[in-house]
Amino acid sequence: MLTSLFLSGILGVLLIPVQPQLISVCLEEDEDLRVDCRIEPKPNKINSYEFSWSSRTKEALINTNVSGSAAEAQFRDKSEVVELDPYGYRMTLKGFTNTLPHNTTYMCKISGQVESINVEKEQLQPCSAVSLFLKSSWSWIVPLLIFLFHTHC
Ligand SMILES: *[C@@H]1O[C@H](CO)[C@@H](O)[C@H](O)[C@H]1NC(C)=O
Ligand SMILES: *[C@@H]1O[C@H](CO)[C@@H](O)[C@H](O)[C@H]1NC(C)=O
């Protein structure tokens, strides 16, 4: 009993950093900005998306398919949204990375739920590093789980 409590404690701590964030921002190889939004859609709501950012007092809509609202003209041909598996949307924006303000809040809204993340320009990670990190953490957590189940159940 104590051992399993102890083990679930350890596992809990190990698994927390691996949980995907609902919104994440990274830089693609060609310096495009990528914003992933993994909010689970609500079954009874229209599944529309909205990507925006703000810095200080300026807020700008980058891409949306909410009917009746429109993205700012400067982003219209520069941004693209694709669906993610199993749910969520990925927005990529070309050509603004160099002009990003120092401190930017990225926001996305799906089915009325809003998520935001505050990222300083210097902290933007390459997307390849982010996915490598996720892959490498899973590659040792799964064998560890198998090992623990074999030795204690
Ligand atoms: C927005 O796009 C998604 C998927 O591309 C679609 O399911 C949804 O109905 C669209 N929303 C509106 C308001 O057009
Ligand atoms: C960046 O902006 C956020 C939200 O406006 C604020 O909470 C945070 O303190 C700012 N960070 C820096 C380093 O200015």
Side-chain angles (χ1 to χ4, degrees):
M1 182 61 192
L2 271 183
T3 329
S4 52
L5 269 183
F6 177 69
L7 281 180
S8 30
I10 292 191
L11 283 180
V13 170
L14 288 178
L15 290 177
I16 284 168
V18 192
Q19 267 190 351
Q21 289 171 301
L22 293 181
I23 180 170
S24 60
V25 185
C26 62
L27 283 184
E28 296 190 339
E29 271 161 41
D30 43 11
E31 298 284 295
D32 291 355
L33 189 76
R34 177 196 290 182
V35 181
D36 281 359
C37 187
R38 297 180 180 275
I39 297 175
E40 195 166 356
K42 307 217 173 34
N44 52 349
K45 291 225 176 172
I46 297 170
N47 188 12
S48 57
Y49 55 78
E50 194 177 296
F51 287 89
S52 58
W53 67 18
S54 75
S55 66
R56 293 171 187 273
T57 53
K58 271 200 296 184
E59 189 172 330
L61 193 53
I62 302 172
N63 200 319
T64 183
N65 77 344
V66 174
S67 48
S69 75
E72 283 195 10
Q74 56 171 335
F75 302 125
R76 218 161 282 160
D77 307 324
K78 299 285 171 102
S79 68
E80 191 178 68
V81 174
V82 294
E83 282 186 66
L84 290 175
D85 206 30
Y87 51 76
Y89 295 97
R90 165 172 297 168
M91 191 277 296
T92 44
L93 179 62
K94 276 187 211 311
F96 287 86
T97 312
N98 290 331
T99 57
L100 278 179
H102 174 65
N103 185 5
T104 306
T105 305
Y106 302 85
M107 284 161 291
C108 67
K109 187 164 156 185
I110 292 177
S111 295
Q113 184 181 342
V114 183
E115 287 298 325
S116 68
I117 188 171
N118 192 206
V119 186
E120 286 174 36
K121 194 174 176 178
E122 296 73 27
Q123 291 174 338
L124 275 173
Q125 300 282 327
C127 298
S128 55
V130 177
S131 58
L132 268 184
F133 167 74
L134 284 181
K135 264 186 220 139
S136 61
S137 0
W138 279 113
S139 63
W140 63 265
I141 281 179
V142 172
L144 177 73
L145 281 176
I146 294 172
F147 171 75
L148 291 176
F149 278 115
H150 271 273
T151 48
H152 291 278
C153 298

